[in-house]
């Protein structure tokens, strides 16, 4: 797959996000760069607290950025932007949240929950049109139109996540940030929700930024994966390439944590551990390097030589 000919939908360059001030300043995201091509599913994977949601929220313009740029369809969307561009981003970039039990307003009916974005952007000309849009969005996620008059507590976790997806679809987005959309769900219904997301992507030509904290589901749904550790991307490659040639010790640690179906292999497998403090980074700091076939890695000079030897 040659990416150069593809259209870039989202471009993140040298992104830096800080929380707190002065002595309490905490850098949550640093030097993060990646492109998302139109029509692809781009995975962002890393352990809890690595900065995944923070990046998603910065793209949504909820989190302020301390440095770098975020471009959507070639236009800078972080920092101060004009009102029409803000409206465009609010409409075209949508986010699905991790916990469908916490993210739906309990006191509102499904009809209102799904319509909220439509109301905010006045994206309908009459009541009839709004109702039709809600009905279509519910149908797209496999829910009945009569569910519109019910409250969230009447639904199961899987159904609630479908409502969360309907709420996003109603806006006719181009980019959907799916922030661990199945982590909080029962294992038995995770596949259903993933299938809905893939079918919608095909039908509506959507692009996804899919966030997860482990690599197990990523292999089946993503085209490319960026691995993030403590606010920095350590490796980025096409999905198959990353599974074939995981180079960074943190990527290898994440891969070794995936349970093996074979109990003998599982019992004898070695869990790898990555300790970023064990390297001599002060004299030879790591930089972002491009290897073969669109494979990128964060490495210092010494590590880079080792990684190049390991490439299959
Ligand atoms: N509003 C905030 N104020 C201060 N610190 C924050 C804020 N939001 C996030 N952080 C910190 O930034 C870091 C990254 O958090 P983030 O929520 O992006 O992690 P994550 O990768 O999404 O983790 P998880 O897998 O648990 O969802 C964490 O250390 C978190 O405590
Ligand atoms: Mg998160």
């Amino acid at each position: 797959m040659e990416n150069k000919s593809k259209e870039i939908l989202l471009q993140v360059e040298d992104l830096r996000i800080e929380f707190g001030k002065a002595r309490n300043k905490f850098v949550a995201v640093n030097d993060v760069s990646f492109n998302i091509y139109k029509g692809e599913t781009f995975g962002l994977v890393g352990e809890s607290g690595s900065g995944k949601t923070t990046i998603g929220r910065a793209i949504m313009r909820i989190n302020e950025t301390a440095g770098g740029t975020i471009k959507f369809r070639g236009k800078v969307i972080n920092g101060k932007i004009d009102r029409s561009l803000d409206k465009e981003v609010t409409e075209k970039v949508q986010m699905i949240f991790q916990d469908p039990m916490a993210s739906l307003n309990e006191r509102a009916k499904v009809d209102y929950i799904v319509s909220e974005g439509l109301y905010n952007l006045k994206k309908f000309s009459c009541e009839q049109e709004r109702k039709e849009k809600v009905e279509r969005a519910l149908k797209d996620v496999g829910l009945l139109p009569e569910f519109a008059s019910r409250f969230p507590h009447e639904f199961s976790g899987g159904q609630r996540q479908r409502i969360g997806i309907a709420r996003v679809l109603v806006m006719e987005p181009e980019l959907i940030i799916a922030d661990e959309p199945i982590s909080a769900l029962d294992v038995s219904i995770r596949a259903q929700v993933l299938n809905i997301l893939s079918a919608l992507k095909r039908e509506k030509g959507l692009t996804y930024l899919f966030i997860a904290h482990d690599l197990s589901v990523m292999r089946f749904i993503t085209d490319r994966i960026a691995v993030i550790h403590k606010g920095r991307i350590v490796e980025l490659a096409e999905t198959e390439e990353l599974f074939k040639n995981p180079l960074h010790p943190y990527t290898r640690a994440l891969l070794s944590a995936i349970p093996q179906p074979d109990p003998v292999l599982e019992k004898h497998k070695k869990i790898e551990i990555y300790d970023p403090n064990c390297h001599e980074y002060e004299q030879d700091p790591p930089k972002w390097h491009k290897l073969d076939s669109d494979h990128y890695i964060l490495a210092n000079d010494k590590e880079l030589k080792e990684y190049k030897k390991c490439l299959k």
Side-chain angles (χ1 to χ4, degrees):
M1 235 195 305
E2 183 53 78
N3 286 323
K4 283 186 197 79
S5 58
K6 290 190 195 162
E7 185 188 334
I8 296 172
L9 187 64
L10 187 89
Q11 191 170 17
V12 175
E13 238 169 12
D14 303 327
L15 186 66
R16 182 180 173 92
I17 301 168
E18 298 168 352
F19 293 112
K21 292 220 159 64
R23 253 200 268 157
N24 293 323
K25 193 160 80 185
F26 167 69
V27 181
V29 171
N30 194 12
D31 266 340
V32 161
S33 301
F34 59 87
N35 291 331
I36 301 183
Y37 299 102
K38 195 167 168 54
E40 82 168 332
T41 298
F42 184 88
L44 184 60
V45 62
E47 68 199 27
S48 185
S50 55
K52 306 179 298 291
T53 300
T54 302
I55 293 173
R57 288 166 57 92
I59 299 167
M60 296 286 293
R61 298 183 43 76
I62 303 169
N63 279 345
E64 275 183 32
T65 54
T69 51
I70 303 174
K71 289 183 190 163
F72 179 65
R73 291 171 169 166
K75 285 180 259 178
V76 176
I77 58 163
N78 59 325
K80 264 208 152 86
I81 60 174
D82 67 41
R83 224 198 279 167
S84 67
L85 182 57
D86 185 48
K87 190 171 173 230
E88 182 185 325
V89 178
T90 311
E91 187 177 341
K92 294 296 170 196
V93 186
Q94 294 286 323
M95 193 153 171
I96 300 169
F97 299 95
Q98 173 171 355
D99 186 357
M101 298 323 254
S103 59
L104 303 180
N105 177 355
E106 291 300 326
R107 281 181 290 180
K109 285 185 179 164
V110 170
D111 181 60
Y112 178 80
I113 292 172
V114 175
S115 305
E116 209 170 4
L118 298 177
Y119 283 122
N120 288 342
L121 292 187
K122 303 189 177 58
K123 219 176 123 60
F124 56 94
S125 51
C126 62
E127 189 53 13
Q128 173 73 12
E129 190 191 348
R130 184 191 66 78
K131 284 217 159 98
E132 279 170 15
K133 280 179 187 257
V134 172
E135 209 167 286
R136 209 175 314 134
L138 290 175
K139 192 163 158 255
D140 279 340
V141 295
L143 295 176
L144 297 167
E146 48 266 39
F147 286 4
S149 58
R150 299 199 192 156
F151 289 94
H153 71 257
E154 300 177 53
F155 296 96
S156 67
Q159 285 175 321
R160 289 171 70 114
Q161 194 55 300
R162 288 176 198 230
I163 297 168
I165 300 170
R167 177 169 73 167
V168 152
L169 280 183
V170 82
M171 300 302 285
E172 299 169 51
E174 273 187 56
L175 174 66
I176 294 182
I177 302 170
D179 189 0
E180 309 215 30
I182 59 164
S183 317
L185 302 178
D186 259 19
V187 175
S188 58
I189 48 172
R190 286 181 180 180
Q192 276 177 23
V193 173
L194 279 184
N195 287 341
I196 289 174
L197 288 171
S198 346
L200 288 169
K201 180 175 173 252
R202 271 196 313 274
E203 286 159 22
K204 300 185 186 290
L206 297 165
T207 303
Y208 290 147
L209 168 56
F210 195 99
I211 295 175
H213 59 258
D214 67 65
L215 276 163
S216 51
V217 290
M218 287 299 216
R219 187 167 201 170
F220 305 103
I221 48 164
T222 58
D223 298 297
R224 291 187 304 142
I225 296 177
V227 177
I228 184 166
H229 181 67
K230 291 195 186 329
R232 289 192 84 173
I233 295 184
V234 297
E235 191 162 5
L236 193 166
E238 284 183 359
T239 303
E240 278 316 305
E241 164 69 11
L242 192 81
F243 276 82
K244 187 174 132 210
N245 264 325
L247 296 177
H248 196 279
Y250 182 66
T251 310
R252 300 172 79 98
L254 279 183
L255 278 171
S256 72
I258 299 178
Q260 302 269 356
D262 180 336
V264 178
L265 285 180
E266 177 67 20
K267 191 163 170 229
H268 295 289
K269 85 174 177 192
K270 186 171 161 271
I271 299 278
E272 300 203 23
I273 295 165
Y274 171 56
D275 174 10
N277 300 319
C278 73
H279 298 290
E280 296 294 320
Y281 279 162
E282 269 162 33
Q283 286 93 32
D284 186 7
K287 289 188 214 95
W288 196 226
H289 297 276
K290 183 179 194 311
L291 304 166
D292 296 347
S293 59
D294 277 348
H295 193 151
Y296 295 81
I297 190 136
L298 185 70
N300 65 15
D301 293 339
K302 186 169 153 236
E303 290 165 332
L304 189 63
K305 278 189 205 136
E306 293 300 313
Y307 295 154
K308 281 186 172 162
K309 275 191 237 157
C310 296
L311 264 183
K312 284 178 210 140

